[in-house]
Amino acid sequence: MNSVYGSKRRISDIVLLALIYLSAALAVAVLVGIVAYVFVRGVSSINLSFLTTVTSAIKGTSGILGNIVNTLYIIVITLIIAAPVGIGAAVYLTEYAKPGRLVSLIEFTTETLSGIPSIIYGLFGMVFFGTSLGLGFSILCGSLTLTLMVLPIIISTTQSALKTVPLSYRSGAMGIGATKWYMIRTIILPSAMPGIVTSVILSIGRIVGESAALLFTAGSAYFLPKSFFGHIFTSGGTLTIQMYLNMSKAKYTEAFGIAFILICIVLLINFLTKVVIRTGTRK
């Protein structure tokens, strides 16, 4: 009887294996090529002054400190609103809601929201949050708009994390007399924490890379905040908005400098995601 290990490799297998390696090499080459090109074009503009000052014609500076601060504002405010709502919705759908048409409708709606173009979110945010609620071009208006955009990510990823918790954990906790909420709070959520953290990190990546929606809602101002809480009601352009404006003004060196910083942030976010998943898997 011929063994599988002793059989000869067919030409088709060799061709497919070569195509797989070629695809992997091509993906790596594209990533390295993009990073290298952006680095070469933008590294000359990255210095201490570029990172610690704001653009000023009077002082002759061209910095992005205001945009960095605005980006941090939008990330924090968006997560403060979206994370509790998204995690709470995922817990309800997974642990409390009975499977049926309502749950299926909510999950379908969540999946549909994740596929809507960001420019439509920006249009809705400008009309509803900016005009109807009177927020105008402000960081808060942009954060509320981004909240709608990242909620599907948080809900779907958290749901997947909660579903991976073994059913025996739930049965064991309920068997010793624990209440449902106590079981969720002390067993389910800690067990699913790596997946929940991953959803938050992925949301940060979506927030950092967003530009179309923020252009309609948050505006493009690059000034430093005069007050901590009052700044959320003023216009604030993020790094992506400033990069777009620099490109439109033919300031390519500064634009590529911002692009390189954004790539570093995205790579850092992906690295943190891998670390969290690996740590959670080991535990």
Side-chain angles (χ1 to χ4, degrees), residues 149-204:
M149 296 178 63
V150 301
L151 270 177
I153 299 175
I154 297 178
I155 292 175
S156 59
T157 309
T158 303
Q159 269 190 283
S160 300
L162 293 173
K163 291 177 180 178
T164 60
V165 179
L167 184 61
S168 58
Y169 288 15
R170 297 172 173 82
S171 302
M174 301 297 287
I176 61 176
T179 61
K180 183 122 183 170
W181 170 239
Y182 184 83
M183 178 263 295
I184 294 173
R185 180 169 55 88
T186 59
I187 298 176
I188 303 302
L189 288 179
S191 300
M193 191 55 64
I196 297 174
V197 174
T198 299
S199 70
V200 174
I201 295 175
L202 293 175
S203 300
I204 294 175

Side-chain angles (χ1 to χ4, degrees), residues 31 63 111 143 166 180 186 211 236 240 257:
L31 175 61
E111 295 173 358
S143 299
K180 183 122 183 170
T186 59
S211 59
T240 53

Side-chain angles (χ1 to χ4, degrees), residues 209-241:
E210 187 53 48
S211 59
L214 293 177
L215 193 61
F216 286 104
T217 55
S220 58
Y222 49 82
F223 304 107
L224 290 172
K226 296 181 179 179
S227 63
F228 184 79
F229 292 104
H231 189 56
I232 65 176
F233 299 104
T234 61
S235 175
T238 60
L239 289 170
T240 53
I241 296 298

Side-chain angles (χ1 to χ4, degrees), residues 66-81:
N67 303 108
I68 295 175
V69 173
N70 293 334
T71 303
L72 293 176
Y73 261 89
I74 288 181
I75 289 174
V76 172
I77 296 173
T78 302
L79 291 181
I80 287 176
I81 302 173

